[in-house]
Amino acid sequence: MNSVILEQSTNTLIFRPTDYKTIYEELHALHDLYASHSGVSASSVIDQDMWLPSGNAVSPVKAAHCLLEIQRTAVFIRGINKAILSLQASFPGQRIHILYAGCGPYATLLTPFTSRFTKDQLTFHLLDVNEHSLNAAKKLYKGLEIEEYVAEWICGDATTYRLPDDVTIHLAISETMLNALRKEPQVEIMLNLVPQLDKKALFIPSDITVTAELLDSYKETYRYLEPEKTPDRLNLGTLYSIGREQCEPHSQVTIEIPQQIENFKQLNLLTTITTFADEQLQTYECSLNMPVRIADVTGYEGRKITFDYERGAKPGFKYEWI
Ligand SMILES: C[S@@+](CC[C@H](N)C(=O)[O-])C[C@H]1O[C@@H](n2cnc3c(N)ncnc32)[C@H](O)[C@@H]1O
């Protein structure tokens, strides 16, 4: 029964991308299955975040809740599926080693693949800084009888973790972010892990880009009247792109507010996440893509503003008018 739910929901996520109703129902079925084995449910309330020097590591319950962010989970799963297929082509006959940095209590973004690939095709290195999350994931894997997929359980901080010397990690995954890369340690984790990867190894998400854009609040509010159309916006430039190809600390960016802004008065940061290949999460598609409002720029036409991405315990963009 367990394996039927897992296989069915995985197939729906991968092969029926626009069947939102079925995806919704099956992710809830998956949540119930995971919760019953791991002892952690998205509706529990008593647990704690961890405040790390690199940002906030969300609690087991909040991490569990990520599963139910429908579009986030679906687009990550589809990207990971494509990445695994691509790695199987690059490394024919080899077992693919996957490091999951911040696996949470369900290892949400990898567990579904135990229904599509054998343990001789895939093996997981599951890492989380929160021992309660890691212990819950261990219970889940035991309950589902899929422990043999796990090469190692690692309780550690992904911002300082060194990849093992004795095996090649082919794919590293981390979803430890909020919109506009606020609060959580995604950037720090990528800056640590990506440079350690072998040349042909992949990282997911393969790119995260934050842009500064002027929005017309009327057009944004009524965008649902024409859901197939992106509302007009004034893109003032990219503040930061970080990913597999380009993984450097941020450098200061200055943008200029145009002289003519018409009704595009709201300066916002927009986040686009490419999980892999053409699998992308765009504005409003999930909590990681909600616009972050900076300012109403009426009266600031022609002025410049600088952005710096501040690292440390409260990561995020800081800005200053000049
Ligand atoms: C947003 S949750 C995501 C959970 C799950 N990966 C998913 O996508 O549904 C982030 C997870 O990353 C873990 N985490 C955050 N910072 C970490 C760090 N520096 N090292 C290792 N794990 C971390 C948290 O404990 C939490 O379990």
Side-chain angles (χ1 to χ4, degrees):
M1 182 59 185
N2 289 346
S3 59
V4 173
I5 297 174
L6 203 54
E7 189 176 353
Q8 192 172 314
S9 52
T10 306
N11 285 339
T12 303
L13 285 166
I14 294 174
F15 299 115
R16 293 164 66 188
T18 54
D19 187 351
Y20 300 112
K21 183 172 176 289
T22 313
I23 292 179
Y24 174 90
E25 286 165 0
E26 290 186 356
L27 280 183
H28 278 79
L30 211 51
H31 168 262
D32 294 346
L33 173 68
Y34 290 173
S36 70
H37 287 289
S38 66
V40 174
S41 141
S43 58
S44 329
V45 283
I46 329 159
D47 73 343
Q48 307 233 306
D49 289 0
M50 286 174 73
W51 295 92
L52 307 174
S54 55
N56 180 23
V58 299
S59 71
V61 169
K62 285 186 197 153
H65 204 269
C66 297
L67 166 69
L68 298 176
E69 271 233 57
I70 312 285
Q71 195 61 352
R72 179 208 76 112
T73 300
V75 174
F76 266 88
I77 294 282
R78 288 200 285 274
I80 293 167
N81 186 54
K82 288 183 179 173
I84 292 171
L85 297 177
S86 152
L87 286 164
Q88 286 187 322
S90 306
F91 299 93
Q94 284 192 42
R95 184 191 270 184
I96 304 300
H97 283 260
I98 307 179
L99 171 71
Y100 189 172
C103 62
Y106 302 159
T108 296
L109 303 177
L110 277 187
T111 304
F113 293 100
T114 61
S115 71
R116 284 185 62 68
F117 297 95
T118 68
K119 62 181 171 31
D120 295 325
Q121 293 174 307
L122 298 184
T123 189
F124 306 159
H125 301 249
L126 299 182
L127 181 155
D128 205 287
V129 71
N130 187 316
E131 62 169 337
H132 303 296
S133 280
L134 203 66
N135 287 338
K138 281 183 193 168
K139 275 170 79 179
L140 172 65
Y141 271 57
K142 193 171 190 312
L144 294 179
E145 298 177 357
I146 52 174
E147 290 160 299
E148 287 184 335
Y149 281 86
V150 184
E152 52 177 342
W153 299 96
I154 310 151
C155 190
D157 186 336
T159 66
T160 52
Y161 175 73
R162 304 307 300 167
L163 296 188
D165 294 329
D166 51 342
V167 285
T168 300
I169 296 293
H170 302 98
L171 170 63
I173 301 169
S174 193
E175 193 282 86
T176 41
M177 65 175 283
L178 287 176
N179 44 350
L181 297 166
R182 296 178 301 117
K183 275 175 76 179
E184 294 189 27
Q186 181 84 33
V187 166
E188 218 56 54
I189 289 176
M190 291 176 80
L191 290 174
N192 176 43
L193 293 181
V194 172
Q196 295 185 59
L197 291 171
D198 272 27
K199 222 168 151 203
K200 285 203 280 180
L202 302 175
F203 190 91
I204 285 181
S206 66
D207 181 79
I208 304 169
T209 291
V210 179
T211 51
E213 307 205 21
L214 290 180
L215 311 188
D216 172 336
S217 47
Y218 180 86
K219 286 191 196 317
E220 298 297 320
T221 306
Y222 292 101
R223 69 185 186 282
Y224 61 84
L225 296 176
E226 289 181 281
E228 67 293 341
K229 214 178 133 219
T230 305
D232 293 336
R233 296 170 183 145
L234 291 186
N235 186 336
L236 303 184
T238 295
L239 297 188
Y240 197 16
S241 271
I242 183 165
R244 175 64 182 106
E245 295 308 319
Q246 192 182 357
C247 192
E248 301 289 336
H250 183 255
S251 304
Q252 188 178 80
V253 174
T254 301
I255 59 161
E256 185 171 337
I257 308 298
Q259 292 291 354
Q260 304 295 328
I261 57 170
E262 299 166 16
N263 286 326
F264 297 97
K265 295 175 181 164
Q266 304 296 329
L267 178 59
N268 279 256
L269 305 188
L270 303 190
T271 311
T272 304
I273 303 163
T274 306
T275 60
F276 187 71
D278 57 346
E279 297 296 343
Q280 215 173 54
L281 285 162
Q282 295 181 354
T283 311
Y284 299 117
E285 287 189 327
C286 72
S287 65
L288 314 182
N289 303 100
M290 294 308 283
V292 172
R293 187 173 178 278
I294 298 294
D296 181 326
V297 298
T298 312
Y300 286 76
E301 293 88 339
R303 293 269 307 269
K304 289 184 175 163
I305 179 170
T306 61
F307 285 91
D308 286 286
Y309 187 77
E310 217 166 85
R311 294 163 63 182
K314 285 190 186 160
F317 285 97
K318 305 289 175 296
Y319 63 91
E320 198 174 346
W321 290 99
I322 50 175

